[in-house]
Amino acid sequence: MTRLAVIATCNLNQWAMDFQGNLNRIQQSILEAKEKGARYRVGPELEVTGYGCEDHFLEPDTFQHSWEVIGELIESRVTEGILVDVGLPILHRGVSYNCRCLIYDRRIILLRPKLFLADDGNYRESRWFRAWKRRSVLEQYKLPEDIVNITGQRTCPFGEAIIEVEDTSLAVETCEELFTVDSPHVKYLLNGVEILANGSGSHHHLRKLDQRLNLIRGATSKGGGVYLYANQLGCDGGRLYFDGCACICVNGQIVAQGSQFCLETEVEVVVGVVDLDEVTSHRVAVASRGVQAAEMEDISRITIPGFYICNSSDNGLNIVPSPPIQVRIHHPMEEIALGPACWLWDYLRRSGAAGFFLPLSGGADSSSSAAIVGSMCQLLCRAVQKGYIRVLQDIRRVCGESHDSQYVPTDARELASRIFHTCFMGTKNSSKDTKERSKVLANDIGSYHLDINVDIVVDAMVKLFCLVFGEDKMPRFRVYGGSETENLALQNIQARIRMVVSYFFAQMLPFIRGRKGTLLVLGSANVDEGLRGYLTKYDCSSADINPIGGISKVDLKTFLSFAAKPLEENGLGYASLKSITEAPPTAELEPITASYTQTDEADMGMTYEELTWYGRLRKLGRCGPVSMFLKLSQVWKHLSYAQIADKVKFFFRMYSMNRHKMTTLTPSYHAENYSPEDNRYDLRPFLYNSRWQWQFSKIDQLVTKLG
Ligand SMILES: Nc1ncnc2c1ncn2[C@@H]1O[C@H](COP(=O)(O)OP(=O)(O)OC[C@H]2O[C@@H]([n+]3cccc(C(=O)O)c3)[C@H](O)[C@@H]2O)[C@@H](O)[C@H]1O
Ligand SMILES: Nc1ncnc2c1ncn2[C@@H]1O[C@H](COP(=O)(O)OP(=O)(O)OP(=O)(O)O)[C@@H](O)[C@H]1O
Ligand SMILES: NC(=O)CC[C@H](N)C(=O)O
């Protein structure tokens, strides 16, 4: 008889601290798994609480509510006839652990704590949890009174163990454990485990999926086995977008894959039929695996008597194993169009706001933010067309429709006209070109567009200044003979007034349109501007949220070309973006004269491409000034050592002078590994000695030595 097992994993769009919503989604996923015939269901890491609770993991309430959720799950009887693997925080003997809880029928089979915590980049699990170190010991966990009352069970095993069922054995690991050098699954697989599950809380950044899939495939390609991967999906209350992609892998080949970016549903169950005999067969054929398996030390085992994961009544003819599939990996430009769009939608519908307000300059950055909102509207309309009722209900709520409303968006442009507001805020220094580009793009996307001039407010500020300090101190632009200080102050006041106007209009526009609520102000500072500090503190970069704050200018330019392509060519169909990509980036804060037009790259003293180099080397290459100089000397062969030294020193000077701006950076979608985001990801001082005396003198010595 063939051992065919139907098993399920899932993507869940959980929300930190939303215990009720999280419970509903977990229940729905188990029910769907059961309906599809699965006998094992794995869910994401910390799915009961949501992954991003952070310091709420220090509160006893969080642990107690987690048990209450488990109690309700068991009482609702969804766990009957299926082995359910749920992620939640557990307090054991006064120590907090990030755990998997395996439940079968009404019994807690095992609490399995995470062995290796995630602590780099965006993660700091050891702030809230301890890693489980007593790997050879199974302790007894004393179950809370509520659970005892529901189940009659007083204790359950706590630690690392293999679960033996009648026809196979399985084991679980948690997210980061897959990424570690000495992954627990190696030991489990060599111990004969056939099904391995991983509940994850893993975030998206550009070009990452490939790495994750390689690890999943790698886990079972050498020694055989089935690997089930579950993940959180969406924005659970922070800067990260968890990118789902729940999948099933058999002997190194993916046989089922869920979506990576999805706003259609909060619960996506991925089911596969796997032939466990193929695992045995794969293993027997690899003699060296057998040698290692034979000498592997034993791991504690817990049996579930009478429980079969395989369908014993089927002889392999009624259900067939899921065949290997071609994995779907989005192009990075699609990732930009999809990831931030889904994140924005989760944020918008969960914030209760009535839509977005975007200061749209007609430049590349704010146009990228606009295109991403357009992409969100397109995805929403497609979901509605496919019949996703919950999406339609959320749209109606965000649009301020009444309970009995029959409103259905006709198309993405019509939807955008209701929830997306753009505004060009010109001054004397704005050009007709940018104003026109802004208008045409707004029309392409369908936003409610305003075209206003803010000179009256800028002039009022200058007048106020003159009233206080006298007309003879009236600040002048450099091109009219003003000093650097005056020139900068006049630029910054335009930029800051735009920010104040944005918040004012975002608050008032729903009122003007006969709606309740307020709009969320969107920002458009990109990752490189942040790195170089080429932005005005508290200008339009100080928005509520920023979809592109984690994306490099180089990627954004490519994204705009992609988004300009027609829908039939898989672009976003915003043809007007073409002219925007062709225009040189400019702040338009200084007067344009016959001999002078302000441009970003000239102003910054470096190109955006150079900035990407600096960004990658600083963060990903972990370079200080000296190593960055040495690394770039190997690459920039067209420049002299002295020129490279000047560039590196200039970059570090600018970076360190402006680092303070990162402390007030608008929360942005995390997309780029070299992000300078100061809040969670790139923790550095913000008061530097920007002369870098020691480091720069070492660079000077090297230049002399190298000639
Ligand atoms: N160490 C420190 N720690 C904490 N705060 C510090 C600080 N040093 C200065 N500051 C504060 O920061 C201020 C200086 O920063 P900030 O006011 O931003 O002014 P700043 O960086 O001098 O100027 C803004 C720059 O952004 C450029 N820019 C380019 C494109 C567009 C836009 C735009 O906004 O549209 C702007 C603009 O051309 C200019 O180069 C100081 O006045 C002080 O208030
Ligand atoms: N004329 C304008 N009208 C509306 N918003 C503006 C205008 N100028 C600037 N902004 C807002 O201020 C932000 C910062 O301005 P900046 O000139 O630095 O633009 P940028 O970062 O180069 O972006 P963009 O490419 O969109 O111009 C812009 O992204 C935009 O949101
Ligand atoms: N939650 C985790 O353990 C995640 C860690 C892992 N390195 C990731 O980026 O996906």
Side-chain angles (χ1 to χ4, degrees):
M1 174 117 42
T2 325
R3 286 186 307 143
L4 288 179
V6 184
I7 47 180
T9 172
C10 56
N11 292 326
L12 295 189
N13 191 324
Q14 303 300 68
W15 190 6
M17 304 304 286
D18 176 23
F19 289 95
Q20 185 60 57
N22 294 346
L23 167 64
N24 296 346
R25 286 176 282 265
I26 294 170
Q27 260 169 336
Q28 189 185 329
S29 70
I30 300 172
L31 283 171
E32 277 183 33
K34 282 170 81 166
E35 273 162 23
K36 290 175 181 163
R39 299 246 176 98
Y40 178 48
R41 170 270 184 206
V42 56
E45 183 173 16
L46 297 168
E47 63 196 293
V48 170
T49 52
Y51 184 82
C53 298
E54 305 196 284
D55 281 0
H56 288 292
F57 287 127
L58 302 176
E59 297 168 1
D61 287 20
T62 305
F63 296 87
Q64 185 183 327
H65 296 327
S66 298
W67 272 120
E68 288 160 3
V69 167
I70 296 294
E72 292 225 8
L73 264 187
I74 296 175
E75 274 200 309
S76 71
R77 307 183 60 174
V78 282
T79 57
E80 288 179 11
I82 182 166
L83 180 61
V84 173
D85 177 352
V86 189
L88 82 175
I90 294 283
L91 263 184
H92 176 50
R93 300 181 184 171
V95 183
S96 49
Y97 296 97
N98 174 351
C99 284
R100 307 300 309 169
C101 176
L102 284 104
I103 312 166
Y104 173 65
D105 277 349
R106 294 171 77 82
R107 191 163 186 82
I108 315 276
I109 305 294
L110 172 70
L111 288 174
R112 197 285 199 177
K114 192 168 182 177
L115 308 178
F116 305 107
L117 301 178
D119 269 324
D120 44 33
N122 287 297
Y123 297 92
R124 59 206 56 182
E125 291 181 356
S126 60
R127 183 178 165 100
W128 311 295
F129 303 110
R130 302 282 80 83
W132 178 248
K133 293 287 167 213
R134 289 156 63 81
R135 292 191 62 175
S136 56
V137 183
L138 255 192
E139 293 183 358
Q140 284 301 303
Y141 178 86
K142 195 170 165 305
L143 288 163
E145 214 44 48
D146 287 352
I147 298 291
V148 179
N149 292 338
I150 294 167
T151 61
Q153 182 184 359
R154 297 212 153 268
T155 60
C156 72
F158 187 97
E160 196 182 0
I162 290 172
I163 309 292
E164 294 277 7
V165 300
E166 296 291 352
D167 48 0
T168 183
S169 60
L170 58 99
V172 296
E173 60 183 8
T174 306
C175 199
E176 179 74 9
E177 294 173 11
L178 171 68
F179 291 75
T180 53
V181 179
D182 184 13
S183 288
H185 66 248
V186 175
K187 211 166 144 194
Y188 302 153
L189 294 173
L190 287 174
N191 251 286
V193 164
E194 291 182 317
I195 302 175
L196 259 160
N198 182 317
S200 274
S202 183
H203 73 286
H204 171 242
H205 67 72
L206 296 174
R207 307 170 175 90
K208 174 182 180 188
L209 182 61
D210 204 21
Q211 178 207 3
R212 193 193 287 148
L213 284 175
N214 283 343
L215 289 170
I216 291 172
R217 281 187 290 236
T220 56
S221 59
K222 282 199 220 166
V226 175
Y227 202 93
L228 281 131
Y229 177 83
N231 197 8
Q232 303 265 0
L233 183 76
C235 162
D236 85 338
R239 291 163 175 79
L240 302 185
Y241 180 81
F242 295 97
D243 61 336
C245 214
C247 60
I248 302 177
C249 182
V250 181
N251 295 339
Q253 290 187 303
I254 305 287
V255 300
Q257 183 188 14
S259 359
Q260 185 181 13
F261 305 107
C262 173
L263 47 64
E264 294 175 346
T265 173
E266 293 182 332
V267 176
E268 186 181 4
V269 177
V270 176
V271 173
V273 180
V274 296
D275 182 347
L276 297 180
D277 289 339
E278 274 183 23
V279 173
T280 315
S281 154
H282 185 98
R283 286 178 176 176
V284 172
V286 187
S288 55
R289 181 220 166 253
V291 173
Q292 292 189 338
E295 62 192 24
M296 184 40 66
E297 69 195 83
D298 201 13
I299 297 175
S300 305
R301 282 164 201 265
I302 295 169
T303 53
I304 311 181
F307 175 53
Y308 291 82
I309 280 195
C310 298
N311 192 334
S312 53
S313 60
D314 193 278
N315 56 9
L317 298 176
N318 294 326
I319 51 170
V320 289
S322 312
I325 56 165
Q326 183 74 36
V327 294
R328 191 185 51 250
I329 295 187
H330 290 285
H331 187 275
M333 296 309 123
E334 289 172 342
E335 291 187 76
I336 295 176
L338 297 171
C342 293
W343 182 77
L344 280 182
W345 177 240
D346 276 349
Y347 202 104
L348 178 59
R349 71 195 176 95
R350 287 177 168 166
S351 70
F356 292 125
F357 179 93
L358 174 71
L360 183 61
S361 70
D365 296 330
S366 47
S367 300
S368 299
S369 288
I372 286 168
V373 179
S375 165
M376 180 191 90
C377 294
Q378 293 183 11
L379 291 172
L380 287 169
C381 287
R382 254 175 255 149
V384 170
Q385 276 157 17
K386 286 191 209 160
Y388 287 98
I389 290 297
R390 194 195 47 76
V391 176
L392 183 57
Q393 285 165 347
D394 278 343
I395 291 175
R396 285 180 182 155
R397 204 167 38 79
V398 171
C399 289
E401 293 288 320
S402 62
H403 267 313
D404 49 359
S405 162
Q406 295 303 305
Y407 168 67
V408 177
T410 50
D411 59 47
R413 291 186 71 250
E414 186 272 329
L415 177 58
S417 73
R418 288 175 169 245
I419 61 174
F420 187 32
H421 306 73
T422 47
C423 181
F424 183 80
M425 290 178 266
T427 66
K428 298 181 191 79
N429 305 315
S430 309
S431 69
K432 276 208 192 91
D433 292 348
T434 48
K435 180 178 155 118
E436 188 57 21
R437 281 188 210 118
S438 166
K439 191 170 126 198
V440 177
L441 176 62
N443 183 55
D444 270 5
I445 295 174
S447 62
Y448 178 99
H449 186 65
L450 292 171
D451 187 340
I452 64 171
N453 188 297
V454 294
D455 275 332
I456 181 175
V457 197
V458 178
D459 292 346
M461 286 297 282
V462 176
K463 275 208 183 90
L464 171 68
F465 183 85
C466 292
L467 270 180
V468 178
F469 297 104
E471 286 289 332
D472 60 321
K473 290 284 188 296
M474 159 116 62
R476 286 166 306 161
F477 282 106
R478 189 175 43 199
V479 289
Y480 302 138
S483 64
E484 278 307 317
T485 305
E486 292 166 83
N487 195 50
L488 208 52
L490 282 176
Q491 292 185 59
N492 290 354
I493 197 62
Q494 297 166 68
R496 287 207 179 96
I497 276 164
R498 286 192 180 118
M499 187 271 281
V500 175
V501 171
S502 295
Y503 278 93
F504 182 40
F505 278 41
Q507 199 173 357
M508 292 303 286
L509 269 176
F511 161 76
I512 294 295
R513 303 185 74 189
R515 297 252 333 257
K516 287 206 171 63
T518 185
L519 306 174
L520 292 172
V521 179
L522 291 183
S524 307
N526 64 57
V527 93
D528 297 313
E529 286 172 337
L531 187 62
R532 160 67 175 76
Y534 188 63
L535 55 99
T536 300
K537 204 175 183 179
Y538 300 112
D539 76 332
C540 282
S541 56
S542 296
D544 290 316
I545 47 173
N546 179 353
I548 66 153
I551 305 176
S552 75
K553 186 80 171 192
V554 172
D555 273 346
L556 285 175
K557 283 204 86 170
T558 322
F559 167 68
L560 288 179
S561 305
F562 156 87
K565 285 199 281 185
L567 291 170
E568 306 77 61
E569 290 173 34
N570 294 325
L572 294 178
Y574 304 135
S576 56
L577 290 173
K578 193 162 181 298
S579 64
I580 292 171
T581 51
E582 284 158 4
T586 165
E588 295 200 325
L589 292 168
E590 290 180 88
I592 302 167
T593 65
S595 58
Y596 180 72
T597 306
Q598 188 180 26
T599 61
D600 284 11
E601 295 192 336
D603 249 12
M604 291 194 295
M606 56 186 80
T607 65
Y608 280 110
E609 212 174 309
E610 285 168 345
L611 258 171
T612 297
W613 272 104
Y614 302 139
R616 287 194 192 288
L617 288 175
R618 184 195 69 100
K619 175 78 184 167
L620 303 178
R622 292 164 293 278
C623 287
V626 177
S627 347
M628 189 183 288
F629 163 74
L630 288 171
K631 286 248 156 73
L632 287 174
S633 298
Q634 290 163 359
V635 191
W636 289 350
K637 291 290 178 198
H638 57 292
L639 297 176
S640 70
Y641 294 120
Q643 284 171 317
I644 297 174
D646 282 347
K647 280 182 181 284
V648 169
K649 289 194 280 185
F650 183 65
F651 164 71
F652 270 97
R653 220 170 12 247
M654 290 303 124
Y655 157 76
S656 54
M657 275 166 55
N658 286 301
R659 178 75 201 186
H660 64 89
K661 293 181 185 171
M662 296 299 91
T663 59
T664 60
L665 206 67
T666 295
S668 307
Y669 180 100
H670 175 90
E672 178 55 70
N673 252 349
Y674 75 79
S675 166
E677 192 266 315
D678 181 67
N679 187 276
R680 309 286 154 104
Y681 185 66
D682 184 47
L683 304 183
R684 318 249 175 168
F686 52 91
L687 178 61
Y688 281 97
N689 181 342
S690 56
R691 286 160 63 226
W692 298 84
Q693 222 171 336
W694 186 278
Q695 295 90 332
F696 288 3
S697 73
K698 296 288 165 200
I699 293 182
D700 293 341
Q701 286 165 21
L702 278 166
V703 172
T704 314
K705 201 169 131 196
L706 292 165

